[in-house]
Amino acid sequence: MPSLVLGASYVGFGSLVRESGIGLGLGLFSTLSAWALPGQVVLVELYGVGASLLVICLAVALTNARLMPMVITLMPLVHDPAVPRWRYYLYSHLVAVTAWAFSMRRCPDMPRPLRLPYFLGFAASLWIASLLGTALGFLLADSVPRSITLGLVFLNPIYFMLIFATDLRHRARAMALAFGAVLGPFFHTISHDWGLMFAGLIAGTVAFGGERLLRRRHV
């Protein structure tokens, strides 16, 4: 199911690539090298409006900065002392939202030697599905209504939210989702450019602080 949803999301990205006048080869290279759908959408949209290379690089870097804390939290969890350290610099490239979310949920219950193979196998299957989705969306762009193919891009964030919604045993996670749902629309009306970032920052911080406070009170 994660591969199907992510692949369908990349069908929308492939259609967006073709709509922007970018070739299939560059679209596939984007998925192969970057593999972060929000950053890739930003890249294609800015390229389509003629933004400079510096602006595109900065925008993509800021969009994908969210992957850094994912790497920091996941790599120690899947670390195997028998694996050379330099390989983890390569493995970290496979850290993306869906692979990270599933690995963070399942790896703690696995023996340590099985965690890294699970993450690599799961992430690789998602990566392949993303490449296939990119190619399929590019080829089907003329035969499927534009609103449908581009709308598929939003499947992945919705699916990601549902992943966390089904695992609300973690109190901090539930609080972060609740605060984010309330603060998101409010901050969006204040600033379309920065509202989402401020909502996420405040909601996550309040949830983290609230969880620590409740633990101290043994609640």
Side-chain angles (χ1 to χ4, degrees), residues 15 19 24 30 35 43 111 124-125 131 138 163 168 176:
S15 176
E19 291 283 339
L24 176 59
S30 170
W35 196 41
L43 184 152
S125 67
L131 289 168
F138 186 91
I163 292 174
L168 297 182

Side-chain angles (χ1 to χ4, degrees), residues 41-81:
V41 171
V42 168
L43 184 152
V44 172
E45 289 186 341
L46 289 178
Y47 174 85
V49 297
S52 67
L53 180 61
L54 178 61
V55 170
I56 293 175
C57 290
L58 289 175
V60 173
L62 289 173
T63 305
N64 290 341
R66 61 196 168 84
L67 299 175
M68 184 177 67
M70 295 183 188
V71 173
I72 293 174
T73 55
L74 181 60
M75 286 296 109
L77 185 64
V78 300
H79 180 261
D80 186 346

Side-chain angles (χ1 to χ4, degrees), residues 55-183:
V55 170
I56 293 175
C57 290
L58 289 175
V60 173
L62 289 173
T63 305
N64 290 341
R66 61 196 168 84
L67 299 175
M68 184 177 67
M70 295 183 188
V71 173
I72 293 174
T73 55
L74 181 60
M75 286 296 109
L77 185 64
V78 300
H79 180 261
D80 186 346
V83 177
R85 185 175 181 178
W86 64 268
R87 292 187 183 179
Y88 289 95
Y89 291 98
L90 301 177
Y91 298 156
S92 62
H93 178 69
L94 293 175
V95 176
V97 173
T98 307
W100 174 81
F102 274 83
S103 298
M104 291 296 293
R105 287 180 59 191
R106 299 188 176 181
C107 285
D109 298 327
M110 295 181 179
R112 183 164 289 275
L114 299 181
R115 295 177 183 178
L116 184 59
Y118 169 82
F119 164 70
L120 294 178
F122 184 75
S125 67
L126 297 176
W127 201 11
I128 294 172
S130 301
L131 289 168
L132 294 176
T134 301
L136 186 63
F138 186 91
L139 298 174
L140 294 179
D142 292 335
S143 57
V144 179
R146 183 173 184 271
S147 58
I148 294 178
T149 53
L150 296 183
L152 292 174
V153 172
F154 296 96
L155 276 180
N156 195 47
I158 294 174
Y159 181 66
F160 178 64
M161 182 186 68
L162 293 177
I163 292 174
F164 282 99
T166 57
D167 187 22
L168 297 182
R169 295 172 298 173
H170 302 280
R171 185 166 48 189
R173 187 177 300 170
M175 289 191 293
L177 285 173
F179 290 141
V182 174
L183 295 177

